Amino acid sequence: PARCFFSIIIPARNEALVIKDCIKKIQAQNYPSNLFEVIVVNDHSSDTTAALVQELHASFDGLHLIHL
């Protein structure tokens, strides 16, 4: 069966307490990791949200961080 590529967009502002768990749960889904990407849109977080997303990028090539 053909599978399509899709993107998951997560708007985030000061989500340091939950962002890692959210991304890891997405990674754990039963879908080929080369067929989706996760885009985290960091909306001027004043906590460590962006740093945590950047840490996860090493283990997840399909993870992208955009700063507003």
Side-chain angles (χ1 to χ4, degrees), residues 8-29:
I8 299 170
I9 301 171
I10 303 171
R13 183 167 193 201
N14 296 332
E15 298 294 339
L17 295 176
V18 296
I19 195 69
K20 260 179 125 171
D21 191 45
C22 177
I23 293 169
K24 287 183 178 265
K25 286 182 179 182
I26 291 169
Q27 277 184 289
Q29 297 301 308

Side-chain angles (χ1 to χ4, degrees), residues 7 9-12 15-16 22-23 28-31 36 38 41-42 48 52 60 63:
S7 301
I9 301 171
I10 303 171
E15 298 294 339
C22 177
I23 293 169
Q29 297 301 308
N30 188 18
Y31 199 83
F36 71 92
V38 176
V41 181
N42 181 35
T48 59
L52 292 170
F60 185 13
L63 179 60

